[in-house]
Amino acid sequence: MTSISPVATSSPASPSSLPHFDRPTYLMCPPEWYDVDYVINPWMAGNLHRPSRDEAFAQWKNLYRHLQRVADIRLIHGRPGSPDMVFVGHGALVQYGIAALSSFAHPQRQTEEAPLRRWFEQAGFLVWETPRETAFEGEGDALFDATGDHLWAAHGLRTCRQSHRHVADAWHTPVTSLHLIDPRFYHLDTCFALLSGGHLLYFPAAFDAPSLQKIEAAYGPDKRIAVTEAEATHFACNVINVGRSILMSGAGNGLTERLRGLGYEVTELALTEFLRGGGSAKALALRLSDTKVTNAVQTSL
């Protein structure tokens, strides 16, 4: 592993002391304090205090049970005043025992940063800080490709483009910047999913023309799976992918069969209460294991 820049705020003795997971491993946060208390994305509009706490718990537990079949799960508990902390996938980007922490654009979510930092430090991760003035929102807007050798990052709505190189420097990896132009798809993970088989699940209309050119140059027609607007607005791209297994909210319109035809094992889950807050399966779980470990498992749900 390459040397670490001094911007890191924790200093384990050596790279070998950083956390290593032999099995796919995720971090989740129970919806103890989840609600729609404010509007910071279009999905929250009209949904203030509409989620059912009981139904949200039932849906989260169902996702937890299904993910637990193919991965290990660590837990972080939420805190009062941080209703969106359940969307822990937005809190950091993790690879090789390094956690690049988010610097949330909205003050309402900045209260999540300190407890996440403590959790990662106590778990032995090397913490990579992002300056407050450089908004960055974790795996919401930055995703490693299937091999873990290249980073795709979005800007335009919640994450600053200036953060892309800074975050990529945590791993000295190349990064491709994409521009999001539809406010409904305020994070990259709402419209772009890199799958273990080298496929890309994406909603083309969420990106500007230069970004689409970058995507099409990297992924041939046989690897691109374009979703419809109806599928995209059911968060069809906000999926958890472990090996050949995919967990996703029900999107309809035949997308599930298309994915199964490519060899993926798809489980559709009801996550309606979380859609009200602007997130789905992917936002509810943060990958802790290296991408190659997460993608390597071939198992059935």
Side-chain angles (χ1 to χ4, degrees), residues 3-277:
S3 60
I4 305 302
S5 164
V7 239
T9 60
S10 55
S11 302
S14 68
S16 63
S17 71
L18 297 175
H20 173 76
F21 302 95
D22 295 322
R23 277 178 46 80
T25 305
Y26 285 82
L27 180 67
M28 294 185 71
C29 178
E32 298 160 280
W33 305 100
Y34 172 63
D35 199 355
V36 178
D37 287 352
Y38 41 74
V39 176
I40 59 173
N41 68 58
W43 306 100
M44 290 176 155
N47 279 312
L48 285 173
H49 306 299
R50 290 188 62 189
S52 161
R53 186 70 55 83
D54 290 344
E55 187 63 23
F57 254 108
Q59 292 180 358
W60 184 91
K61 288 178 181 177
N62 193 36
L63 173 64
Y64 179 97
R65 284 193 297 266
H66 280 85
L67 181 56
Q68 196 175 37
R69 296 179 184 179
V70 292
D72 294 335
I73 301 175
R74 306 288 190 267
L75 291 178
I76 181 173
H77 286 277
R79 52 171 285 171
S82 297
D84 279 339
M85 197 166 167
V86 68
F87 298 122
V88 70
H90 302 159
L93 176 67
V94 179
Q95 188 83 311
Y96 305 140
I98 301 170
L101 293 182
S102 294
S103 176
F104 284 106
H106 293 286
Q108 292 93 331
R109 297 207 62 181
Q110 290 171 9
T111 58
E112 302 170 31
E113 295 169 10
L116 279 165
R117 182 183 294 105
R118 284 194 299 272
W119 190 92
F120 280 111
E121 289 175 345
Q122 290 170 4
F125 286 80
L126 187 146
V127 172
W128 185 270
E129 295 279 358
T130 302
R132 166 59 58 215
E133 63 273 13
T134 309
F136 167 65
E137 302 207 350
E139 275 201 322
D141 269 333
L143 300 167
F144 281 99
D145 67 5
T147 64
D149 298 325
H150 190 98
L151 190 62
W152 293 80
H155 66 96
L157 296 165
R158 295 279 278 272
T159 287
C160 296
R161 181 167 185 169
Q162 291 87 341
S163 72
H164 293 177
R165 185 66 263 163
H166 167 78
V167 170
D169 281 347
W171 300 277
H172 302 278
T173 189
V175 58
T176 298
S177 296
L178 303 174
H179 186 196
L180 298 174
I181 57 173
D182 186 328
R184 295 174 299 174
F185 305 100
Y186 64 99
H187 272 160
L188 184 63
D189 70 357
T190 64
C191 54
F192 186 94
L194 299 164
L195 304 180
S196 61
H199 297 97
L200 169 67
L201 190 64
Y202 76 124
F203 178 50
F207 302 92
D208 67 5
S211 297
L212 285 176
Q213 291 174 358
K214 295 176 186 177
I215 291 169
E216 292 169 1
Y219 292 88
D222 60 323
K223 292 296 185 181
R224 297 196 304 269
I225 308 168
V227 306
T228 65
E229 183 174 15
E231 291 165 342
T233 53
H234 282 85
F235 282 64
C237 294
N238 199 248
V239 305
I240 299 173
N241 177 209
V242 180
R244 303 300 286 186
S245 299
I246 291 177
L247 302 176
M248 64 188 298
S249 61
N253 297 328
L255 177 61
T256 298
E257 293 309 312
R258 289 164 63 194
L259 291 169
R260 287 175 178 157
L262 293 169
Y264 295 99
E265 301 165 359
V266 183
T267 299
E268 293 184 298
L269 303 170
L271 294 167
T272 52
E273 298 310 297
F274 300 104
L275 268 61
R276 297 179 189 273

